[in-house]
Amino acid sequence: MSGAALSAHVVVERPGFRLDVELHLEPGEVVAVMGPSGAGKSTLLGAIAGLVRPTSGEVSIGGGVVASARRSTPPARRGAVLLGQEPRLFPHLSARANVAFGLRAQGLSRSDADRDADEWLWRVGLPGSGDRRPAELSGGQQQRVAVARALAVQPRVLLLDEPLTSLDPETAGDLRAMVAEQLAHAHATAVVVTHDVVDAAAMAGRLAVLEAGRVVQEGTVRAVLAAPATRFVAALAGVNRVEGALRDGRWHATFPAGDVVLSGTVAAASAPGVPSAGASGLPDGTPVAATFRPSDVRLTTITDSTWTGVLRRAELERPVPGEWSARVARLEQLPGAVRVHTAEPAVAVDVAVDEAAELGLRPGSTVRLHVRERHVRLQPLRAAG
């Protein structure tokens, strides 16, 4: 089995929403698609599968056009298989019969289809389960059967729409490893829509990020996470991202509590030709995003002044590089820590549970944030010059 090339330019227009995405995959390539809810990820898969009629654009699989302004090949004849969050097995059929169903539709004899089905059940970790019906299987086992059914028919393109979302973390981890192994074994061409960056790293070689119906960043998974182009991508990478501009070799931005000034190292992957030793080679006014990890920010409370007092003080004092005042917007529980989200600028800080309790943090608390130069990466939003 080997997948086919996929080339898609999908435009879908609906009231208040427009999807305009280009996606190109080589045979056997796996691409992950991520984005916030409502970005258009499932609509994109539906258009490729033939379940959503594009407003314009073109989809070709293996060099043959299956969707355009003039034609639309029925889903069953496209060679694309869509697997979603629910396994959607036939409840009255055994696991073997579910996997064999598509094979029988392709013309295989019952004995050959059953033999191949048992082979695929073995491949996905369910040997000896062929006679069991879906009601006798766990959710994870049902999803394994669904993966076997999808791959058994040797699709030209496999479309996975968050297939691990409804599973518990341990089961999802096992399924993730199995799917990655089977995609590689089958040399499948696949588009994997997911909300979990671990899925992208484990299964895909390339990542495309959708926001508001368009691709905002694309590249290898490592490259995208190393230089996030938006706050959403930064959240995927586990870092803060705040936009500003260079002034006198440092990052500057203005917020209600005053100017914020940061020093840092320019990320080599951020733009071609940008020096990696610092920001001195970039002209003043260059738009730059500062990124740093929540665990690298130190937080202290301000107890000797109201928020109004902080604002007045900011008008009189020069900013201290790497320090600024903010207010707590919300608190988020993490394993063994509390993530403190502050506003203006929107920055997350990880604080130990006992420290958060000692500081008495709550929404509205006034705090002082500190981050050292060595922890800050500066990513020019465009190449210098």
Side-chain angles (χ1 to χ4, degrees):
M1 172 183 172
S2 182
L6 169 66
S7 181
H9 178 202
V10 175
V11 178
V12 177
E13 295 187 19
R14 294 172 178 164
F17 176 76
R18 175 183 170 87
L19 174 72
D20 189 344
V21 171
E22 289 193 39
L23 201 60
H24 305 281
L25 281 72
E26 297 296 325
E29 186 178 13
V30 180
V31 172
V33 175
M34 303 188 72
S37 298
K41 305 180 298 295
S42 295
T43 300
L44 172 64
L45 292 194
I48 296 172
L51 304 178
V52 173
R53 186 70 178 265
T55 306
S56 62
E58 184 175 284
V59 177
S60 65
I61 298 177
V65 176
V66 297
S68 69
R70 296 184 176 181
R71 62 174 299 179
S72 179
T73 302
R77 294 173 52 195
R78 294 192 178 199
V81 172
L82 176 61
L83 175 61
Q85 299 177 20
E86 301 297 328
R88 299 190 183 280
L89 302 178
F90 298 115
H92 62 290
L93 297 181
S94 66
R96 179 186 300 108
N98 266 282
V99 178
F101 184 86
L103 297 171
R104 291 280 288 152
Q106 290 180 338
L108 267 68
S109 66
R110 180 179 298 276
S111 59
D112 288 343
D114 286 348
R115 183 191 66 240
D116 287 357
D118 282 334
E119 168 70 16
W120 274 104
L121 289 172
W122 175 82
R123 288 187 185 183
V124 301
L126 292 176
S129 299
D131 291 328
R132 299 168 67 185
R133 293 194 175 186
E136 302 174 287
L137 302 172
S138 68
Q141 290 173 327
Q142 290 183 38
Q143 199 68 318
R144 287 176 183 264
V145 175
V147 171
R149 181 173 64 180
L151 290 173
V153 296
Q154 301 186 25
R156 301 163 79 192
V157 173
L158 181 62
L159 307 171
L160 303 177
D161 192 0
E162 303 195 43
L164 309 180
T165 297
S166 61
L167 305 176
D168 64 82
E170 183 175 357
T171 302
D174 292 341
L175 263 292
R176 182 183 298 115
M178 182 274 293
V179 172
E181 179 183 1
Q182 293 307 319
L183 290 177
H185 175 80
H187 302 289
T189 301
V191 180
V192 182
V193 164
T194 179
H195 71 284
D196 193 333
V197 72
V198 178
D199 293 344
M203 291 189 271
R206 191 154 52 91
L207 171 61
V209 181
L210 269 62
E211 294 188 40
R214 63 185 183 90
V215 175
V216 297
Q217 192 168 7
E218 186 174 6
T220 65
V221 178
R222 181 176 182 179
V224 170
L225 298 180
T230 69
R231 283 187 59 196
F232 175 81
V233 183
L236 294 178
V239 298
N240 292 297
R241 182 183 187 277
V242 189
E243 293 188 2
L246 286 183
R247 188 191 309 164
D248 299 326
R250 289 173 168 165
W251 179 97
H252 281 248
T254 300
F255 298 96
D259 289 349
V260 180
V261 179
L262 299 174
S263 297
T265 301
V266 174
S270 57
V274 172
S276 59
S280 58
L282 299 174
D284 280 2
T286 300
V288 170
T291 63
F292 45 91
R293 296 188 178 281
S295 58
D296 289 331
V297 185
R298 185 168 60 89
L299 180 149
T300 57
T301 54
I302 300 176
T303 58
D304 61 345
S305 178
T306 63
W307 181 244
T308 301
V310 170
L311 298 180
R312 289 175 177 170
R313 183 186 301 171
E315 296 176 352
L316 302 174
E317 298 178 348
R318 293 172 60 87
V320 178
E323 297 185 17
W324 67 96
S325 300
R327 300 182 80 181
V328 174
R330 63 186 177 90
L331 304 176
E332 176 187 357
Q333 181 67 55
L334 299 178
V338 175
R339 177 157 291 179
V340 182
H341 294 268
T342 63
E344 297 182 307
V347 168
V349 185
D350 288 347
V351 178
V353 174
D354 56 346
E355 182 181 357
E358 182 179 349
L359 293 173
L361 296 174
R362 64 183 185 275
S365 296
T366 303
V367 295
R368 188 78 174 168
L369 305 184
H370 314 254
V371 62
R372 294 183 177 181
E373 176 178 349
R374 70 172 183 266
H375 296 312
V376 179
R377 287 168 60 89
L378 303 179
Q379 300 172 356
L381 302 184
R382 64 171 183 265

